């Protein structure tokens, strides 16, 4: 991971390859935020004029590069647009995005100092997270000179460098960013190199490293336990399924959270085969499981006083002579039966098993994370997750955590009629895995999952099919490919509970 430190050094004299500052949009021009006074003086008090002359407008994500005030001796100045701040205050997400944009404007091997506004510890954390996440690149399969070598150091310039809260904020930023990076790496790894067995082994290895207990149910244990959903989805693949359970139990926990993640390491659609273009990004169908594992490890590393029990349901959904057929009936963990009318609606099947098992632990709140439906992407686009819940209070807690973490999320309903349609659509089982209607797919999937949560337990379902994987270009601190979405929300939820 990129080394990062806090420093009270002046932005003019700091030894680094580049200095990143912010530029605020103000009326028809730009203005410099607090903390850039010395830099402005180094340019003879005309830095705003210099930036304006180069076309800077302060628009969010805009980058303007300026030679250092002492040619050949000082760092390159990178001015990043912060947008407008009508109330005079910048949001932490603005700073996080600016830091990511600034670091992406440099080479990975260059050292960078950030002279962005840091009036409090939350702003310090936002700048650090944005810088660390913005520097991410997946180079495991690149050859030759594709990788730039060792990452250059990052320095956050702040008057709070010796402040206890700021130091704690930096630690949290580092730990959380490392968890997000691990999740991105998992999601970006080709499915030929990340199947359920290997994915589970990674969880075991990291659990040992960070003091988290990890148990793995293999195919024999799944058969013995009656996990019909996970087995049904995985039976068509040469790579057998797994159910991974992670547990972190601190002394005197203030609450008990259960995380459940969808871990389909590749989704072909099964016999209900996807189109060829529809399969291209389906290595990312395990992003939910990756996120809940990553978040659990981060919470343990931060020693937050919250008990966490996590279930990652892993399978590969493939067509073959042994694959589940449309009209097959699966007996789920706990005894409920499901008629599979579309084998491409498989995520809800593995999650159903895991939700029943998670309910047996009697947590205070269950949160599942899943790249579950294309319908949610149609409704909310590619950058916003859908939040469903069985209680408004539980949903609001998670959405509030997402807002604080800088991850976009929007509440969606679970109409009672959706569960009725799932039950009535099967003539032979307790319920079908689809309603048979072309609309409301995300709502129907949520209704299906909710039927596997025990009565009396608060539950929130996050459909992250849009924001978990970025098919477009990088922006801010978000790269192309796996994004690590939901890790920061889950860590924030745990931190706010403590």
């Amino acid at each position: 991971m990129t080394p990062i430190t806090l420093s009270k050094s002046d932005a003019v004299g700091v030894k680094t390859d580049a200095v990143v500052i912010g530029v605020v949009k103000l009326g028809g021009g730009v203005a410099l935020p607090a903390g850039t006074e010395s830099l402005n003086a180094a340019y003879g008090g005309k830095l705003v004029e210099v930036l304006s002359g180069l076309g800077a407008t302060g628009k969010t994500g805009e980058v303007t590069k300026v030679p250092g005030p002492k040619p050949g001796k000082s760092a390159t100045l990178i001015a990043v647009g912060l947008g407008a701040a009508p109330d005079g205050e910048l949001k932490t997400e603005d700073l996080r995005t600016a830091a990511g944009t600034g670091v992406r404007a440099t080479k990975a091997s260059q050292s960078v100092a950030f002279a962005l506004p840091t009036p409090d510890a939350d702003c310090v954390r936002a700048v650090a997270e944005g810088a660390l996440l913005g520097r991410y690149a997946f180079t495991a399969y690149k050859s030759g000179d594709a990788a730039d070598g060792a990452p250059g150091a990052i320095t956050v310039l702040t008057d709070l460098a010796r402040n206890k809260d700021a130091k704690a904020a930096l630690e949290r930023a580092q730990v959380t960013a490392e968890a997000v990076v691990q999740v991105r790496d998992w999601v970006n790894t080709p499915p030929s190199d990340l199947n359920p067995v290997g994915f589970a082994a990674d969880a075991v290895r990291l659990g040992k490293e960070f003091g988290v207990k990890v148990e793995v149910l293999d195919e024999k244990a799944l058969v013995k336990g009656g996990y019909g959903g996970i087995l049904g989805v995985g039976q068509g693949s040469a790579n057998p399924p797994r159910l991974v359970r992670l547990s972190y139990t601190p002394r005197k926990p203030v609450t008990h959270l259960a995380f459940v993640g969808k871990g389909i390491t590749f989704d072909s659609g099964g016999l209900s085969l996807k189109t060829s273009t529809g399969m291209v990004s389906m290595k990312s169908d395990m992003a939910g499981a990756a996120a809940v594992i990553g978040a659990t490890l981060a919470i343990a590393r931060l020693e937050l006083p919250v008990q966490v029990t996590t279930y990652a349901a892993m399978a590969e959904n493939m067509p073959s002579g042994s694959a589940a057929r449309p009209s097959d009936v699966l007996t789920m963990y706990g005894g409920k039966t499901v008629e599979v009318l579309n084998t491409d609606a498989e995520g809800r099947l593995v999650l159903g098993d895991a939700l029943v098992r998670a309910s047996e632990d009697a947590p205070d709140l269950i949160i599942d994370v899943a790249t579950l439906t294309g319908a949610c992407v149609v409704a909310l686009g590619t950058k916003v997750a859908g939040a469903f819940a069985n209680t408004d209070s539980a949903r609001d807690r998670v959405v509030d955590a997402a807002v604080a973490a800088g991850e976009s999320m929007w509440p969606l309903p679970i109409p009672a009629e959706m569960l009725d349609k799932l039950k009535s659509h099967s003539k032979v089982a307790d319920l079908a895995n689809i309603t048979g209607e072309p609309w409301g797919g995300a709502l129907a999937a949520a209704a299906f999952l909710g039927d596997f949560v025990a009565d009396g337990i608060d539950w929130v379902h996050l459909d992250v099919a849009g924001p978990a994987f970025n098919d477009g270009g990088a922006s801010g601190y978000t790269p192309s490919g796996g994004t690590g979405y939901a890790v920061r929300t889950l860590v924030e939820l745990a931190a706010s509970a403590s």
Side-chain angles (χ1 to χ4, degrees), residues 215-222 227 241-245:
E215 305 167 64
V216 178
L217 297 185
D218 62 14
E219 62 271 35
K220 292 181 180 179
L222 291 170
Y227 291 88
R242 294 288 185 266
L243 178 62
V244 179
R245 181 181 189 268

Side-chain angles (χ1 to χ4, degrees), residues 66 68 163 195 203 236 277 292 294 337 409 492:
V66 182
N163 178 273
N195 57 41
T277 55
V292 297
T337 57
M409 194 176 290
E492 178 66 34

Side-chain angles (χ1 to χ4, degrees), residues 1-224:
M1 194 70 181
T2 303
I4 184 169
T5 56
L6 303 181
S7 174
K8 294 189 72 172
S9 297
D10 186 85
V12 175
V14 65
K15 293 183 179 181
T16 186
D17 295 319
V19 174
V20 175
I21 65 168
V23 181
V24 179
K25 193 173 184 178
L26 184 65
V30 297
L32 299 173
T36 55
E37 292 80 7
S38 63
L39 273 171
N40 187 37
Y43 285 88
K46 296 184 178 181
L47 183 53
V48 168
E49 294 179 32
V50 171
L51 293 171
S52 297
L54 291 171
T57 65
K59 181 181 178 181
T60 301
E62 179 185 73
V63 173
T64 307
K65 292 187 178 182
V66 182
K70 298 178 181 179
K73 294 183 179 181
S74 54
T76 300
L77 185 66
I78 299 175
V80 180
L82 292 169
D87 56 2
E89 292 186 8
L90 292 167
K91 297 179 181 179
T92 53
E93 182 62 8
D94 295 329
L95 296 170
R96 191 179 287 111
T97 300
T101 301
V103 79
R104 285 196 307 103
T106 67
K107 293 181 179 179
S109 58
Q110 289 183 309
S111 58
V112 188
F114 289 84
L116 294 168
T118 53
D120 55 39
D122 286 340
C123 291
V124 170
R125 177 161 62 89
V127 172
E129 281 184 353
L132 291 169
L133 295 177
R135 176 141 277 182
Y136 175 82
F138 185 65
T139 59
Y141 293 82
K142 296 286 188 178
S143 59
D145 298 327
D148 285 320
I154 290 172
T155 305
V156 179
L157 303 178
T158 175
D159 291 337
L160 302 176
R162 297 184 179 88
N163 178 273
K164 179 180 178 182
D165 291 340
K167 291 179 180 179
L170 181 68
E171 180 190 10
R172 179 169 159 188
Q174 285 181 290
V175 170
T176 304
E178 287 180 18
V180 172
V181 164
Q182 176 62 76
V183 172
R184 290 175 176 178
D185 282 351
W186 274 326
V187 174
N188 288 329
T189 299
S192 58
D193 289 343
L194 188 75
N195 57 41
V197 175
F199 195 7
D202 281 353
V204 171
R205 173 179 57 80
L206 291 171
K208 289 180 180 178
E209 182 176 349
F210 298 125
V212 174
K213 183 179 179 182
V214 182
E215 305 167 64
V216 178
L217 297 185
D218 62 14
E219 62 271 35
K220 292 181 180 179
L222 291 170
V223 170
K224 184 176 180 180

Side-chain angles (χ1 to χ4, degrees), residues 376 379-380 385-389 395 410-414 442-443 463:
C376 198
L380 299 178
F388 305 79
R395 181 199 62 214
W410 194 257
L412 290 173
I414 309 178
L443 314 187
D463 192 331

